[in-house]
Amino acid sequence: MDQLLQQIEEYKKEIGQFTNGDIKAVEEFRIKWLGTKGIVKSLMGEMRNIPNDRKKEFGQVLNDFKALVENKFEELKEGSRIEETAAGAGLDLSLPGDPLPLGSRHPVSLMRNRIVSIFQRLGFALADGPEIEDDWHNFTALNMPEFHPARDMQDTFYVQQNPDWLLRTHTSNVQIREMEKGKLPIRGIYPGRVYRNETVSARSHCFFHQVEGLYIDENVSFADLKQTLYFFVKEMYGTEVKVRFRPSFFPFTEPSAEMDISCTLCKGEGCSVCKHTGWLEILGCGMVHPNVLQNCRIDPNKYTGFAFGMGIERPALLKYGINDIRLFSENDVRFLQQFASAI
Ligand code: DAH
């Protein structure tokens, strides 16, 4: 036992003076303490000379010591390996670097950026609003009071804690939030995610994305709306594409319209994507209803404006030839990687 304690003392002294990072010294340390003829092994050999009643005590101390030395050796080995690399031994600077896989933009983001940037070039300012919204901003202020039938068209998710809260069903809530700020004129473009309680299928999802546009100033007319959207279509789909407006109804615009473009796949001939009509519906729009202006404390006798709203998923499906909307939210890298070089 004395001999063992003496060795432990010697070990401690030696470790105190050890030069870190010296590979040769680490190997010498191993041979001296852990080698087949090393000190730990020889102390193990002493076991049989220990009287039975002290074997347990001796064994315990020796085992602890052995573990201590082994751990130390691992630590020293690691230290010298790092030093070795840092010193440049075996480092070939001409080797190519490890490839870092780059992520890619999501097709919905790509499409959103394209849409937004076209309107930004016309001076529309980017803004966003909350996805958890109150009834006022999503419905009431948009001229859809309680029990208005138009509310049923958008199956709404409500927030359990507060019956006044919901997941916005469209980005039109941002129109209200921007108008309420009271700074005029407004020329804004508002992309974002929206939610509707719909059965998930290849064609529809319980969440998707929209882009909302709003322009409020003195003397804004329907002609401005049409010209703005013509510009958008030309930039987005090219000069060949034809445009048509159909009268429609939205509670927050009057008059209201829906805009179609000639089918980009069959060039208006008729195919399964355009359901053989030759046309694709791409957005809803109209002149902001005077009630909506009033709800936002804007004088409808002085100001007029137009608004429009469009989905992002459908144009993205068309542009990238995707046939299932669910792919957008499954996060399958095999799908996402295909957009690495897309714009
Ligand atoms: N909010 C409408 C929807 O989700 C789309 C829309 C239609 C937005 C007409 C507008 C608009 O701003 O003027 O179906």
Side-chain angles (χ1 to χ4, degrees):
M1 191 66 172
D2 281 347
Q3 201 191 334
L4 171 57
L5 294 176
Q6 213 181 322
Q7 291 292 7
I8 295 177
E9 279 311 306
E10 188 188 326
Y11 167 81
K12 283 185 183 160
K13 222 189 303 158
E14 188 174 318
I15 270 309
Q17 294 161 359
F18 199 89
T19 344
N20 243 344
D22 181 343
I23 311 175
K24 254 199 234 131
V26 175
E27 182 55 11
E28 279 161 17
F29 173 93
R30 187 191 65 80
I31 294 170
K32 176 172 175 186
W33 295 98
L34 297 170
T36 33
K37 289 186 185 138
I39 292 168
V40 172
K41 270 268 158 53
S42 90
L43 287 166
M44 292 286 195
E46 290 298 320
M47 199 65 171
R48 63 192 135 83
N49 301 327
I50 306 286
N52 275 347
D53 59 335
R54 307 222 34 208
K55 264 197 168 58
K56 192 175 165 206
E57 186 195 358
F58 181 83
Q60 236 158 31
V61 178
L62 179 55
N63 267 337
D64 288 349
F65 178 55
K66 181 170 175 250
L68 183 78
V69 179
E70 280 169 351
N71 285 340
K72 191 72 200 175
F73 171 61
E74 288 303 320
E75 195 184 299
L76 294 173
K77 211 165 59 172
E78 182 64 12
S80 70
R81 198 182 57 76
I82 292 167
E83 293 276 325
E84 183 188 16
T85 327
L91 184 68
D92 181 353
L93 290 173
S94 68
L95 282 176
D98 286 338
L100 267 184
L102 266 188
S104 55
R105 289 239 189 278
H106 192 281
V108 169
S109 306
L110 290 170
M111 186 49 72
R112 180 201 53 208
N113 294 347
R114 281 168 64 96
I115 297 171
V116 166
S117 77
I118 293 171
F119 288 101
Q120 280 180 319
R121 273 187 278 143
L122 288 176
F124 284 70
L126 185 67
D128 62 8
E131 289 178 28
I132 299 175
E133 189 51 284
D134 53 38
D135 183 278
W136 170 257
H137 292 93
N138 193 80
F139 288 128
T140 307
L142 285 159
N143 205 25
M144 277 189 266
E146 220 185 331
F147 307 122
H148 192 289
R151 288 190 178 205
D152 300 341
M153 291 176 1
Q154 309 183 349
D155 289 312
T156 311
F157 285 119
Y158 286 90
V159 176
Q160 231 164 26
Q161 289 115 301
N162 186 335
D164 194 47
W165 291 347
L166 46 88
L167 300 183
R168 68 172 173 194
T169 58
H170 50 188
T171 43
S172 303
N173 68 324
V174 193
Q175 286 190 35
I176 303 300
R177 290 195 170 269
E178 289 299 305
M179 286 192 275
E180 279 179 342
K181 288 181 181 167
K183 269 200 212 125
L184 293 166
I186 296 171
R187 199 160 19 167
I189 189 84
Y190 316 130
R193 180 175 289 180
V194 303
Y195 303 82
R196 289 184 201 178
N197 189 0
E198 295 203 31
T199 315
V200 176
S201 72
R203 312 204 112 245
S204 67
H205 211 290
C206 56
F207 61 80
F208 52 98
H209 298 78
Q210 290 186 333
V211 179
E212 193 85 8
L214 178 68
Y215 181 26
I216 310 277
D217 202 348
E218 292 178 40
N219 303 317
V220 178
S221 71
F222 203 93
D224 297 316
L225 168 60
K226 285 177 81 174
Q227 215 48 54
T228 304
L229 294 178
Y230 283 152
F231 176 79
F232 166 70
V233 171
K234 216 172 62 199
E235 294 296 300
M236 185 77 182
Y237 296 100
T239 43
E240 303 292 289
V241 167
K242 291 204 257 329
V243 182
R244 76 175 183 191
F245 285 85
R246 278 178 294 108
S248 183
F249 172 79
F250 300 103
F252 35 90
T253 44
E254 180 58 36
S256 305
E258 273 166 293
M259 189 179 84
D260 301 340
I261 58 168
S262 53
C263 182
T264 49
L265 290 175
C266 63
K267 312 245 176 302
E269 303 273 305
C271 67
S272 64
V273 172
C274 62
K275 300 209 183 87
H276 303 283
T277 61
W279 296 96
L280 298 167
E281 179 194 318
I282 60 164
L283 56 79
C285 59
M287 301 306 292
V288 179
H289 197 293
N291 290 354
V292 175
L293 294 173
Q294 239 151 10
N295 287 337
C296 302
R297 296 181 300 276
I298 294 173
D299 180 359
N301 295 316
K302 185 166 178 214
Y303 289 98
T304 50
F306 66 73
F308 58 86
M310 69 184 102
I312 299 183
E313 272 81 356
R314 235 167 73 89
L317 293 174
L318 279 173
K319 171 152 177 69
Y320 300 117
I322 301 163
N323 57 11
D324 192 323
I325 198 171
R326 290 170 293 197
L327 286 164
F328 286 143
S329 49
E330 278 168 3
N331 282 337
D332 185 331
V333 284
R334 291 167 305 177
F335 171 74
L336 297 173
Q337 271 169 354
Q338 295 178 48
F339 302 92
S341 57
I343 47 163

